Amino acid sequence: MNDDKQIQRDAPPIVRLDKVNKHFGELHVMRDIDLSVAPGEVVVIIGASGSGKSTLIRCVNGLEPFQSGRIEVDGKTLAPHGASGKSLQAVRTEVGMVFQQFNLFPHLSIRDNVTLAPRKVRGWSRRQANTTAERLLERVGISDQADKYPSQLSGGQQQRVALARALAMEPRLMLFDEPTSALDPEMIGEVLDAMRELAKDGMTMMIVTHEMGFAREVADRVVFVHGGEIVEQGTPEAVFDDPQNERTRAFLSRVLKH
Ligand SMILES: Nc1ncnc2c1ncn2[C@@H]1O[C@H](COP(=O)(O)OP(=O)(O)OP(=O)(O)O)[C@@H](O)[C@H]1O
């Protein structure tokens, strides 16, 4: 997306999935998924509802166990049937996640929502965490809201706090699962702007979204998932303008009509 940005294709990938399979009972939701993400790369995952996009993201963060294959995140292995406690903990602290729902703590101020994890998990002093929170809230454009509580903020502002909170842990990788789908249309832009900035700064990102315009603009690579399989992947130009697979074409003609 950005010519100045460096994707470190020669470095070890930050994320690597090898032949990952996941079932929910009879339902096979990830089928032999192979996927690597290089440092600095922005990968956008698209596909119809129920195709397995969220499950893929949640497996990378260790939120869902999987049945076979292997997932490596920044050199730590998540094994099938749940990782060992240590690598799971390490992955969770190195990966930032932003969900559809903001999940802020309602009884904590915006500042305390952002500083809680670095203080508890990293052992930062209140002062150090507050300085970081100020910088991050400034970065997502809501430094004037630090003393407020989540219920006093709009959905778009709350989602930007959720982004600042994830960044406070200094993640190597950011995962987004439909971060704008719970927002009113007029608030979507402000969250996408914050994500755009992050991408420009070289953050490695995996993003599940239904915002196709944003996907085209921000992605280094677009991955189309159908029925738990990666059916097609490539640059946004390749996938959006010249899709090779019939199912990608059918999906895009459905979503781009609206
Ligand atoms: N905890 C669960 N238990 C049983 N089935 C589940 C569970 N979570 C997801 N599924 C099923 O797995 C399939 C894939 O779900 P997933 O949420 O990954 O799809 P998705 O592509 O992210 O969909 P959407 O765009 O609607 O969010 C769906 O059929 C869903 O109903």
Side-chain angles (χ1 to χ4, degrees), residues 24 27 29 48-55 178 210:
F24 285 116
L27 193 65
V29 283
S49 185
S51 55
K53 307 179 298 293
S54 297
T55 306
E178 299 189 27
H210 292 285

Side-chain angles (χ1 to χ4, degrees), residues 22-25 27-30 45-58 64 100 177-178 208 210 225 228:
K22 165 143 186 94
H23 302 258
F24 285 116
L27 193 65
H28 199 169
V29 283
M30 286 172 70
I45 300 161
I46 61 170
S49 185
S51 55
K53 307 179 298 293
S54 297
T55 306
L56 194 166
I57 288 276
R58 291 169 61 81
E64 290 281 358
Q100 181 175 347
D177 190 4
E178 299 189 27
V208 171
H210 292 285
V225 178

Side-chain angles (χ1 to χ4, degrees), residues 104-125:
L104 300 177
F105 294 111
H107 59 291
L108 294 182
S109 69
I110 297 309
R111 178 183 294 104
D112 288 348
N113 262 281
V114 176
T115 58
L116 184 70
R119 292 183 61 213
K120 288 251 185 280
V121 180
R122 300 252 195 255
W124 289 9
S125 68

Side-chain angles (χ1 to χ4, degrees), residues 22-98:
K22 165 143 186 94
H23 302 258
F24 285 116
E26 298 283 286
L27 193 65
H28 199 169
V29 283
M30 286 172 70
R31 295 168 183 265
D32 282 339
I33 297 278
D34 287 329
L35 183 67
S36 287
V37 181
E41 191 175 19
V42 175
V43 172
V44 175
I45 300 161
I46 61 170
S49 185
S51 55
K53 307 179 298 293
S54 297
T55 306
L56 194 166
I57 288 276
R58 291 169 61 81
C59 282
V60 171
N61 203 13
L63 289 171
E64 290 281 358
F66 51 98
Q67 278 81 30
S68 68
R70 185 185 148 97
I71 299 180
E72 236 180 70
V73 180
D74 204 18
K76 281 115 200 147
T77 302
L78 297 177
H81 301 292
S84 81
K86 255 194 177 156
S87 48
L88 186 61
Q89 210 42 48
V91 166
R92 293 224 175 120
T93 54
E94 281 173 34
V95 176
M97 177 118 185
V98 174

